[in-house]
Amino acid sequence: MAIILPIIIIILTTIAMEIISWAMHKYLFHGPLWFIHKTHHQERHGFFELNDVFSLFFGLIAVGLMWFDRETRNYPFWIGAGISVYGIIYFIFHDWFIHNRFKAFRLNNRYFSGIKRAHKIHHKSTQKNPSEEFGLLVASKKYFKNTK
Ligand SMILES: [Zn+2]
Ligand SMILES: [Zn+2]
């Protein structure tokens, strides 16, 4: 496989993952799987929360795909790599930058401040419904206006 194809697959998978996780967040996590996801909308006791099983689930799919296709390194391998890339971005932005799960760090840039604000709005609700802003890397335009 030429080097360009894996890069394209990884980028497309990352974009697809944002769409998939937006839809899962909106229709499953704030739907039938709310009993798990609600642990992320409540005060956390200890380092882990039940909601982390979703990260574990995607992590297992990613590792599984890469393991399964480790010899030939065809589409499944690079899709697994793309899911991993999204997982790392998600972890850094969501768990670290937005929720300060580790030592706090700041990014004073219009885009990063915007996605942080949008996700904080999502967390304003501690209920299943109503809620808004289910994406991570993409948010409504209004959050990117006149940020300080
Ligand atoms: Zn939520
Ligand atoms: Zn969150």
Side-chain angles (χ1 to χ4, degrees), residues 4-122:
I4 190 74
L5 196 52
I7 295 170
I8 293 171
I9 299 169
I10 288 175
I11 293 170
L12 289 180
T13 305
T14 309
I15 296 168
M17 282 300 291
E18 171 69 5
I19 298 166
I20 291 166
S21 52
W22 173 85
M24 285 182 71
H25 191 184
K26 189 172 162 96
Y27 298 108
L28 285 178
F29 300 175
H30 285 255
L33 296 180
W34 172 248
F35 70 101
I36 297 174
H37 184 60
K38 72 176 180 198
T39 60
H40 184 58
H41 281 261
Q42 297 160 346
E43 187 107 41
R44 183 156 32 89
H45 309 284
F47 187 72
F48 291 104
E49 58 197 21
L50 187 57
N51 188 61
D52 292 335
V53 298
F54 294 129
S55 310
L56 196 66
F57 170 76
F58 281 114
L60 286 175
I61 291 178
V63 171
L65 281 170
M66 291 172 81
W67 174 258
F68 161 81
D69 195 26
R70 66 192 181 282
E71 310 266 293
T72 45
R73 299 213 174 166
N74 219 306
Y75 286 91
F77 182 88
W78 297 110
I79 291 171
I83 297 173
S84 308
V85 168
Y86 184 76
I88 293 165
I89 295 172
Y90 196 94
F91 176 78
I92 294 174
F93 282 8
H94 178 258
D95 295 274
W96 194 355
F97 170 60
I98 298 176
H99 290 298
N100 292 324
R101 221 157 156 178
F102 305 92
K103 210 172 148 13
F105 81 88
R106 288 174 201 289
L107 290 168
N108 291 321
N109 150 304
R110 181 183 280 235
Y111 170 71
F112 295 119
S113 313
I115 58 168
K116 188 168 187 166
R117 273 162 67 187
H119 194 70
K120 293 289 181 191
I121 292 295
H122 176 71

Side-chain angles (χ1 to χ4, degrees), residues 117-129:
R117 273 162 67 187
H119 194 70
K120 293 289 181 191
I121 292 295
H122 176 71
H123 274 281
K124 251 172 83 182
S125 165
T126 53
Q127 303 300 313
K128 187 173 169 181
N129 292 303

